């Protein structure tokens, strides 16, 4: 496989994102993409902000702004946060672009033409006093599933289940408190049961998935129901059918448009690249994308959309459900290769909650700490396969004892000693390498296979553990060899050899850690006398909407440059930069300060 699609969950643009969000999908997808690029794959990493749906409309109503204005605000905040973390998106866009609308409508039309979208009469609410349609967001009542009293017409924010207004117990209008009247109204439904067989067959061929994801997905197939894909709402993608296109009160449901974002963002990226067909290399099942891999990253609450609903849309568009059909004009499209779901991060033993202030926003975190300190914590202690608790005490310990005292110390003492005694990378003594030298070099070189293989299988915790094991062995080697004692003229060649070996291992370990710690990897590269880009970074670019809409910021970058996934011999005599610390040691007082902020 050479083409790799990294499809990253779309953050919802109704507020700033907290570190729980980015630890589930943001950082892990970046680690994977950076490694795959370094290993020679052609990676396309795409996502954007998810901006439609009732919650954005409700919040915009509350603030007296338009939903577009609200989405503009948080799109920008989220773009800046992801940029601050160094997440290497080829394109991070949004769902309110002309391109996204067009692709969503194209997929809708293809599914409709193949018979997988069916109109169905459902019960819709009207206001008895005005006789007008009452949008979902203006209906409130008790959730029939969990009993929560503030559930909305389309969703319960307490248990997260999708609802229909007619299901609410004691429904009432949020506008004037009256009980809505339910009348028959037409909506469109996705015929999910028509995909049960095709999905089952496909899931049976999946290899390497986390077992809980596969088991959960297969269980869902036993009870697939037709699912509403339109709502009584004004904010969203219009329904592309005659008689519906111009209706102001019905829109495509937000979940339907958001999952199509992976495809629309790929198409937008291609259109911006100057080759509008370039997206096919990752998507065209019968063409250039035949051997491509598609990896989807998300939190566990989103598995159903990626392992069942999105594949169903792709199957239906390609004409491969029970009703058959023809592929739409984009051609047959690739299904996901793997759905990589993470578990949840909690905060000091509690669930993240913006309303209850149990939260640390990415922006606030980055204002006080370095991006790589957070990336390191997420890699070694994040919610990869278990729910995990973020505590400030543990963050402090990981930062100070492992990042600073382990990796930072190795970099600092080997470069300082070499710079002070040689001013450059010292040569290897003609007397040659000892078995201890050889053993350490071999350990570092072997890391490229083990660490790479683990990242490729989404075992990032183990992968960074292996990279840090190389660091620990190098620190032990330096302590054992004690080059600082070899100051006499006779001893200096051996001192040079030891430091040459140590610097080579620093260079190798730095490459192994680059997918995890790209900001510091660039610094270490420069301390070792390297020039140019080692770890490419994304930039924020203001772009015009390709179809005439308002301009917006995207994250993008040139990631064809930078280090490869291999050991590069350090040339003797290369000047070393003046050493300076790569990581910041944190004062233990930050723990109490942060806990006090949480309690405010
Ligand atoms: Zn509920």
């Amino acid at each position: 496989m050479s083409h790799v699609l990294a499809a990253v969950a779309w953050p919802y643009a109704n507020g700033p994102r907290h570190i729980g969000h980015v630890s589930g999908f943001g950082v892990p997808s970046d680690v994977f993409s950076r490694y795959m690029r370094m290993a020679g794959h052609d990676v396309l990493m795409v996502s954007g902000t998810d901006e439609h749906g009732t919650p954005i409309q409700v919040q915009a109503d509350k603030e007296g702004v338009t939903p577009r204005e609200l989405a503009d605000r948080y799109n920008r905040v989220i773009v800046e946060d992801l940029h601050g973390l160094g997440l290497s998106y080829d394109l991070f866009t949004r769902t309110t672009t002309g391109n996204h609308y067009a692709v969503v409508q194209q997929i809708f039309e293809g599914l409709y033409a193949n018979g997988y979208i069916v109109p169905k009469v459902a019960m819709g609410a009207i206001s008895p006093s005005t006789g007008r349609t009452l949008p979902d967001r203006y209906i409130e009542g008790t959730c029939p599933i969990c009993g929560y009293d503030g559930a909305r017409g389309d969703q319960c924010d307490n248990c997260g289940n999708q609802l229909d207004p007619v299901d609410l117990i004691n429904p009432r209008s949020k506008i004037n408190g009256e009980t809505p009247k339910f009348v028959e109204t037409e909506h469109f439904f996705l015929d999910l049961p028509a995909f049960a067989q095709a999905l089952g067959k496909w899931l049976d061929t999946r290899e390497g998935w986390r077992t809980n994801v596969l088991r959960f997905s297969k269980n869902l197939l036993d009870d697939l129901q037709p699912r509403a894909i339109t709502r009584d709402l004004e904010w969203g993608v219009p329904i592309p059918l005659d008689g519906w296109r111009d209706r102001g009160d019905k829109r495509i449901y937000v979940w339907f448009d958001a999952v199509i974002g992976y495809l629309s963002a790929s198409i937008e990226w291609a259109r911006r690249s100057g080759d509008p067909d370039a997206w096919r290399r990752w998507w065209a099942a019968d063409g250039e994308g035949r051997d491509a891999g598609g990896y989807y990253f998300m939190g566990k609450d989103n598995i159903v959309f990626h392992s069942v609903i999105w594949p169903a849309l792709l199957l239906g568009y390609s004409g491969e459900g029970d009703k058959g059909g023809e592929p739409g004009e984009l051609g047959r499209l690739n299904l996901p290769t793997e759905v990589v779901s993470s578990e949840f991060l909690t905060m000091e033993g509690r669930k993240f909650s913006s309303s209850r202030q149990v939260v640390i926003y990415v922006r606030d975190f980055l204002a006080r700490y370095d991006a790589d300190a957070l990336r390191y914590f997420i890699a070694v202690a994040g919610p990869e396969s278990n729910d995990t608790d973020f505590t400030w005490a543990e963050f402090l310990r990981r930062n100070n004892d492992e990042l600073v005292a382990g990796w930072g110390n190795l970099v600092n003492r080997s470069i300082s000693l070499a710079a002070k005694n040689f001013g450059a990378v010292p040569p290897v003594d003609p007397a040659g390498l000892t078995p201890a030298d050889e053993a350490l070099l071999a350990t570092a070189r072997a890391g490229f296979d083990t660490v790479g293989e683990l990242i490729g299988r989404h075992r990032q915790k183990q992968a960074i553990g292996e990279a840090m094991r190389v660091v620990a062995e190098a620190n032990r080697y330096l302590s054992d060899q004690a080059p600082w004692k070899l100051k006499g003229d006779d001893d200096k060649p051996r001192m040079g050899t030891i430091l040459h070996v140590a610097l080579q291992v620093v260079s190798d370990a730095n490459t192994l850690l680059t997918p995890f710690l790209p900001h510091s990897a660039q610094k270490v590269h420069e301390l070792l006398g390297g020039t140019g880009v080692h770890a490419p970074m994304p930039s924020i670019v203001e772009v015009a909407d390709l179809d005439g809409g308002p301009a917006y910021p995207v994250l993008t970058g040139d990631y064809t440059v930078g280090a490869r996934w291999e050991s590069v011999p350090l040339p003797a005599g290369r000047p070393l930069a003046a050493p300076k610390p790569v990581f910041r040691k944190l004062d233990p007082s930050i723990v109490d300060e942060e806990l006090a902020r949480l309690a405010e």
Side-chain angles (χ1 to χ4, degrees):
M1 170 209 318
S2 70
H3 287 94
V4 172
L5 174 74
V8 192
W10 289 56
Y12 198 58
N14 66 338
R17 296 297 90 184
H18 57 63
I19 62 169
H21 292 125
V22 296
S23 62
F25 53 84
V27 172
S29 59
D30 184 59
V31 170
F32 176 76
S33 297
R34 285 181 178 276
Y35 161 70
M36 290 306 254
R37 291 190 191 105
M38 290 172 78
H41 298 282
D42 199 346
V43 173
L44 182 64
M45 176 175 169
V46 290
S47 185
T49 40
D50 175 6
E51 303 183 359
H52 293 123
T54 315
I56 284 185
Q57 174 85 60
V58 167
Q59 201 180 327
D61 291 350
K62 216 186 290 174
E63 296 187 19
V65 298
T66 66
R68 172 74 195 209
E69 284 167 339
L70 190 89
D72 280 348
R73 186 197 312 159
Y74 290 117
N75 161 258
R76 191 168 291 276
V77 166
I78 292 168
V79 162
E80 287 170 3
D81 288 352
L82 303 183
H83 175 256
L85 285 167
L87 305 185
S88 58
Y89 290 96
D90 289 281
L91 184 68
F92 184 89
T93 177
R94 59 195 302 190
T95 57
T96 44
T97 67
N99 176 79
H100 180 71
Y101 276 45
V103 175
V104 168
Q105 292 182 331
Q106 214 173 348
I107 296 292
F108 186 108
E109 285 164 351
L111 286 161
Y112 185 77
N114 286 338
Y116 296 107
I117 289 179
V118 288
K120 222 173 118 170
V121 172
M123 298 307 278
I126 58 168
S127 157
S129 55
T130 65
R132 288 173 43 200
T133 302
L134 198 54
D136 296 338
R137 69 179 181 285
Y138 290 126
I139 306 165
E140 206 176 53
T142 304
C143 172
I145 297 163
C146 74
Y148 174 63
D149 189 38
R152 267 195 332 259
D154 64 339
Q155 184 179 311
C156 171
D157 285 339
N158 188 53
C159 66
N161 281 292
Q162 286 192 7
L163 303 173
D164 270 311
V166 71
D167 300 334
L168 291 174
I169 300 162
N170 296 325
R172 57 195 175 266
S173 160
K174 285 173 79 169
I175 298 169
N176 57 14
E178 65 188 359
T179 305
K181 203 170 120 195
F182 288 95
V183 296
E184 295 192 332
T185 178
E186 208 171 25
H187 272 292
F188 288 97
F189 283 69
L190 178 68
D191 187 5
L192 274 176
F195 300 106
Q197 228 185 341
L199 287 170
K201 239 194 244 169
W202 169 70
L203 284 172
D204 281 340
T205 63
R206 298 299 89 199
E207 284 167 11
W209 286 29
R210 290 177 184 155
T211 43
N212 60 331
V213 179
L214 203 53
R215 197 182 317 121
F216 175 79
S217 307
K218 285 183 176 174
N219 283 343
L220 291 171
L221 301 186
D222 296 339
D223 188 30
L224 288 181
Q225 303 292 330
R227 192 167 178 131
I229 59 172
T230 55
R231 298 311 287 180
D232 290 317
L233 177 69
E234 310 88 325
W235 174 237
V237 181
I239 301 160
L241 297 176
D242 291 342
W244 291 86
R245 204 171 277 116
D246 301 322
R247 286 191 67 163
D249 61 338
K250 303 236 184 221
R251 289 287 181 271
I252 291 177
Y253 214 151
V254 59
W255 63 260
F256 182 90
D257 97 69
V259 289
I260 296 172
Y262 301 116
L263 176 63
S264 72
S266 302
I267 292 175
E268 183 185 340
W269 170 84
R271 291 176 67 191
R272 294 191 181 283
S273 78
D275 174 4
D277 282 325
W279 63 273
R280 294 183 189 276
R281 301 204 290 267
W282 289 271
W283 287 95
D286 295 321
E288 315 145 71
R290 200 179 304 114
D291 300 320
Y295 298 85
Y296 290 70
F297 293 83
M298 79 226 58
K300 64 178 166 187
D301 50 338
N302 266 321
I303 295 173
V304 59
F305 291 102
H306 297 87
S307 66
V308 172
I309 290 178
W310 177 228
L313 298 185
L314 291 163
L315 286 164
Y317 184 81
S318 301
E320 292 171 3
D322 288 352
K323 298 174 175 173
E326 294 294 320
E329 59 189 85
L330 298 172
R332 278 183 63 233
L333 299 169
N334 283 328
L335 267 56
T337 305
E338 192 169 343
V339 170
V340 187
S341 135
S342 65
E343 306 290 306
F344 290 145
L345 189 74
T346 53
M347 176 97 193
E348 299 286 348
R350 289 181 289 173
K351 222 177 136 185
F352 274 93
S353 160
S354 309
S355 54
R356 288 191 294 273
Q357 296 296 314
V358 185
V359 75
I360 171 108
Y361 292 114
V362 172
R363 166 149 322 207
D364 297 334
F365 195 102
L366 294 180
R368 302 199 279 277
Y369 310 102
D370 294 332
D372 280 6
L374 178 57
R375 293 180 63 118
Y376 180 75
F377 183 91
I378 292 170
V380 295
E384 184 176 83
S385 50
N386 293 101
D387 289 350
T388 312
D389 196 32
F390 177 93
T391 66
W392 286 104
E394 181 68 354
F395 171 70
L396 177 84
R397 188 186 74 74
R398 295 277 188 187
N399 183 79
N400 285 1
D401 296 0
E402 297 176 8
L403 207 48
V404 177
W407 175 223
N409 182 42
L410 175 66
V411 170
N412 195 50
R413 59 179 177 160
S414 41
I415 295 178
S416 301
L417 272 173
K420 197 167 106 197
N421 291 285
F422 300 89
V425 177
V428 173
D429 176 9
L433 298 172
T434 66
D437 303 342
E438 299 273 19
L440 181 65
L441 289 168
T443 298
R445 275 196 305 269
F448 288 91
D449 283 342
T450 46
V451 175
E453 194 260 345
L454 287 165
I455 298 176
R457 289 197 296 121
H458 313 291
R459 306 294 191 274
Q460 296 189 2
K461 222 174 246 198
Q462 264 178 284
I464 196 167
E466 284 295 314
M468 290 301 280
R469 197 173 60 81
V470 173
V471 169
E473 294 209 7
N475 270 324
R476 199 172 310 125
Y477 166 87
L478 273 185
S479 302
D480 290 350
Q481 302 290 327
W484 45 87
K485 290 184 184 158
L486 304 171
K487 289 236 163 123
D489 285 349
D490 292 353
D491 290 337
K492 207 160 173 197
R494 176 62 194 152
M495 181 197 209
T497 302
I498 295 166
L499 291 174
H500 185 101
V501 169
L503 292 175
Q504 180 63 52
V505 172
V506 166
S507 171
D508 288 349
N510 192 45
T511 306
L512 296 175
L513 288 166
T514 298
F516 301 100
L517 309 173
H519 303 87
S520 40
Q522 180 69 37
K523 288 188 200 165
V524 172
H525 168 74
E526 287 164 15
L527 288 176
L528 288 169
T531 53
V533 175
H534 174 86
M537 283 294 161
S539 7
I540 300 175
V541 182
E542 302 287 329
V543 296
D545 185 280
L546 293 168
D547 304 282
Y552 54 96
V554 299
L555 266 187
T556 186
D558 175 9
Y559 311 115
T560 58
V561 292
R564 312 300 294 185
W565 193 254
E566 62 194 9
S567 172
V568 179
L570 272 187
R574 184 206 264 180
L576 292 166
K580 50 179 186 250
V582 179
F583 300 105
R584 281 196 293 157
K585 189 168 179 186
L586 297 171
D587 191 280
S589 65
I590 67 136
V591 174
D592 286 341
E593 283 164 30
E594 294 291 352
L595 289 175
R597 277 197 187 96
L598 269 185
E600 269 166 19

